Amino acid sequence: MPLSRRHFLAGAGLTGGTLLANVSVPAVARAPLVDAATLGALRRNVGSVQVTALLDGYIDIGSELVIGLAEADAERLAEASFQQPGPRRAPVNAYLINLGDRLVLVDAGTSDSMGPSLGRLPAAIEAAGVSPDQIDTLLITHMHPDHINGVLTTAGQALFPNAELVVTATDYAFWHDDANMNQAPDEAKPFFIGARKAAAAYADRLRQVDGEREALGSIRTVPLPGHTPGHAGFIVESDGEALFIWGDVVHRATYQFARPDWSIAFDVDSKLAAETRKRTLDRVAADRMLIAGMHLPFPGIGHVARDGDAYRFVPDEWPYAL
């Protein structure tokens, strides 16, 4: 039943002429500022499938990491979003999909590989009422450390003892190519090492997929090359509804919806990444498709709307279960 003004006032004890001025307000209890991490786990349904957004933590992305950024445009976009120009905190999200007969995790966060602001996915999974041994499948959008390193414990062992690890064949080949690693700058070499360690821990239960095809049941893979050669998204469909988990199509929501030509320094091929982003934004806006992104403001689920020649992100308006 819709909540009427009368019901609201009655519930607040404000009917019958009683106004706030007549309410005795107790003294505010004092408490120290909380320094503990906030756990992120929010559930929503996609048809008969349940999807839980999970938060691993956040990374700070400075404007200097945005390729093609124009300062005047960046300042205008930041002001329009009630922000200051400069570094912004980007969440690192993952998504748990309950298919009924299978429990699937899309991306796995960072473990302890990227500092104290990250690595909280195991606690978020626990907050969602799930243990790592219950997860059957790990779908990895790409093998960057903030997406695959979390399949390992801090000791470097497989965190998910019963899960199959699914990666794209193109990404696997790229990160396992010694020539690519030898040619990479020193700061990028740990990306190769991390990807290889994660894959090795699941060597006896690793599956490679490529192209637009079924990944598992009602979940299919969608190639999104550029950010990495094998970067991919996953579309889950159920009862006429769909959710497109698009990985790293967008890193800085404030900028890249309005300026999809701006890329990120982590892209292996920034030009191709921009082309993929424009094509993807056009597709999901035209199809009015529900999307989820690993670096969109948590829980990272919403729609993309056209805004003149650009786009804007429209967050999902609280369809989440408590």
Side-chain angles (χ1 to χ4, degrees):
M1 179 177 67
L3 183 66
S4 69
R5 178 177 181 274
R6 184 178 186 84
H7 287 119
F8 178 81
L9 294 176
L14 300 179
T15 55
T18 303
L19 299 177
L20 283 175
N22 299 324
V23 176
S24 176
V25 180
V28 176
R30 296 185 180 182
L33 296 178
V34 176
D35 196 30
T38 298
L39 298 180
L42 285 173
R43 299 186 302 275
R44 64 113 60 220
N45 290 338
V46 178
S48 58
V49 169
Q50 189 173 78
V51 177
T52 304
L54 302 170
L55 182 65
D56 188 64
Y58 67 85
I59 53 177
D60 289 319
I61 299 180
S63 296
E64 72 279 1
L65 296 176
V66 181
I67 299 172
L69 178 142
E71 289 294 344
D73 283 350
E75 290 178 7
R76 174 180 58 80
L77 292 170
E79 183 177 8
S81 297
F82 298 90
Q83 298 176 3
Q84 295 293 324
R88 301 300 305 174
R89 286 184 172 175
V92 174
N93 304 325
Y95 296 93
L96 184 68
I97 304 173
N98 189 337
L99 296 175
D101 60 341
R102 301 292 294 271
L103 201 56
V104 180
L105 181 64
V106 182
D107 283 355
T110 62
S111 188
D112 63 344
S113 66
M114 294 182 67
S117 69
L118 292 156
R120 298 168 186 171
L121 190 69
I125 291 173
E126 181 180 355
V130 173
S131 61
D133 64 299
Q134 292 177 280
I135 294 173
D136 304 293
T137 307
L138 303 165
L139 298 180
I140 304 299
T141 61
H142 61 295
M143 299 177 80
H144 271 166
D146 53 325
H147 300 263
I148 196 170
N149 282 12
V151 304
L152 301 177
T153 66
T154 57
Q157 306 299 313
L159 176 62
F160 303 94
N162 301 312
E164 175 187 43
L165 180 66
V166 181
V167 300
T168 68
T170 302
D171 234 43
Y172 183 93
F174 177 82
W175 297 108
H176 284 79
D177 187 312
D178 288 339
N180 289 336
M181 184 168 72
N182 293 336
Q183 293 169 10
D186 288 344
E187 61 269 20
K189 284 183 170 58
F191 286 35
F192 289 85
I193 295 169
R196 295 178 185 199
K197 285 182 177 179
Y202 292 80
D204 60 342
R205 44 201 164 102
L206 184 143
R207 177 162 57 95
Q208 299 180 40
V209 297
D210 245 347
E212 185 154 355
R213 52 163 291 178
E214 178 185 316
L216 178 72
S218 60
I219 305 174
R220 73 177 189 271
T221 307
V222 180
L224 299 168
H227 182 53
T228 68
H231 179 237
F234 299 99
I235 296 179
V236 56
E237 296 179 293
S238 175
D239 299 334
E241 298 182 22
L243 173 67
F244 184 8
I245 302 174
W246 71 15
D248 281 12
V249 167
V250 169
H251 287 81
R252 292 281 306 259
T254 300
Y255 295 155
Q256 289 180 295
F257 284 100
R259 292 297 304 266
D261 55 316
W262 292 1
S263 288
I264 203 78
F266 313 123
D267 292 337
V268 173
D269 185 335
S270 60
K271 181 180 178 182
L272 180 56
E275 293 171 356
T276 294
R277 183 163 39 257
K278 292 175 189 176
R279 183 174 65 253
T280 304
L281 292 173
D282 184 69
R283 172 184 179 180
V284 299
D287 293 347
R288 301 178 66 84
M289 184 179 289
L290 187 68
I291 60 95
M294 275 52 187
H295 299 300
L296 298 182
F298 183 80
I301 299 176
H303 290 86
V304 176
R306 285 194 174 277
D307 189 7
D309 293 331
Y311 304 87
R312 60 186 173 87
F313 177 55
V314 183
D316 210 13
E317 190 168 332
W318 202 257
Y320 303 99
L322 297 176

